[in-house]
Amino acid sequence: MFKKRLVWSKKSIWYAIAILVIIPIVVNALMFIPVGKAVSTNSVWVGFFGSYIGSILSGLFTLLGVMMTINDLKNRESEDKLPKQLMAIDDLLMFIGQQNRIFLQGVREQLGAGHVNARLDYTLEGPDNSEGLLKLASDVNLNTYKTVRRLYDSFSSFRRPNLGGATILTESDIIGIYKECIDGLKVEKQKIENKIGN
């Protein structure tokens, strides 16, 4: 579910292997350059190479362990947020679905443009005791925010200033915008429930 593999490119793996192989060869070659009196014997160089390779391997394993720990902490933090995200998306679905039903009822009762604008404005304000529709959506995840943002932008930008702010959207446009948002939220909710279920 949340487990992410450490991805090493083939190029970086080959670079690491090359460095591990080249450095001892270079050091060995430097041993045979005549610079005067010999400093040591072969047994000392064998010990050097052993400690050299051991320190590189232990450093790599330490780095790998730290990266895995950080990754695990991020995964746990993401898992801990899932219940709050699910509650927020449920609130969004309930509120936007309710606004859609109220709008459809107004259409059936043939209420005027003022009712339509008031309903759209109320939708944009978000549920009671929330900091707004977009804030609630941003508490879930980026895809939820984008879905709600499309509804928000559609309802807030299609107004005719010279007609007192009356909407230029048709009833079918508004119904379609509500439906698209609700369908998108349901998809995101299903993704969150799948993560919780795993």
Side-chain angles (χ1 to χ4, degrees):
M1 173 181 68
F2 280 101
K3 295 176 184 171
K4 294 181 183 174
R5 291 177 43 221
L6 290 173
V7 180
W8 293 65
S9 70
K10 288 183 180 179
K11 198 174 189 179
S12 57
I13 291 173
W14 282 112
Y15 282 144
I17 291 173
I19 289 170
L20 285 172
V21 170
I22 290 173
I23 290 180
I25 291 172
V26 169
V27 171
N28 187 39
L30 290 174
M31 284 188 333
F32 294 103
I33 296 176
V35 286
K37 196 172 177 185
V39 222
S40 186
T41 62
N42 285 342
S43 63
V44 173
W45 283 109
V46 170
F48 164 75
F49 288 132
S51 64
Y52 173 78
I53 292 170
S55 63
I56 287 178
L57 290 177
S58 66
L60 288 175
F61 285 125
T62 302
L63 177 64
L64 184 65
V66 168
M67 292 172 77
M68 289 172 64
T69 302
I70 290 171
N71 198 26
D72 185 53
L73 288 173
K74 285 181 182 177
N75 290 339
R76 287 183 189 190
E77 188 176 304
S78 295
E79 287 175 346
D80 290 343
K81 289 181 182 178
L82 289 176
K84 289 181 181 179
Q85 290 174 332
L86 189 59
M87 288 172 47
I89 208 164
D90 279 338
D91 290 345
L92 281 167
L93 271 168
M94 187 174 70
F95 176 75
I96 293 173
Q98 180 184 33
Q99 299 312 304
N100 185 35
R101 286 188 295 278
I102 292 170
F103 176 77
L104 290 173
Q105 181 181 351
V107 168
R108 283 193 294 273
E109 295 173 2
Q110 297 182 344
L111 299 174
H115 172 76
V116 171
N117 281 338
R119 182 53 42 206
L120 297 184
D121 288 339
Y122 186 74
T123 299
L124 297 179
E125 291 171 11
D128 295 335
N129 301 322
S130 74
E131 296 177 39
L133 194 63
L134 291 178
K135 171 67 173 98
L136 186 57
S138 70
D139 289 341
V140 181
N141 60 30
L142 182 60
N143 287 337
T144 302
Y145 177 80
K146 287 179 180 177
T147 300
V148 174
R149 183 69 197 222
R150 281 192 292 275
L151 174 133
Y152 190 91
D153 290 344
S154 297
F155 285 172
S156 61
S157 62
F158 292 101
R159 302 284 177 104
R160 289 184 181 157
N162 57 349
L163 294 178
T167 183
I168 58 173
L169 295 171
T170 64
E171 292 169 356
S172 61
D173 290 337
I174 295 171
I175 293 168
I177 291 167
Y178 272 125
K179 183 178 183 330
E180 181 185 351
C181 184
I182 291 168
D183 290 345
L185 290 175
K186 285 179 179 176
V187 168
E188 286 305 311
K189 179 180 178 182
Q190 187 60 50
K191 288 179 185 176
I192 293 171
E193 287 177 339
N194 289 344
K195 288 178 184 177
I196 290 175
N198 288 336

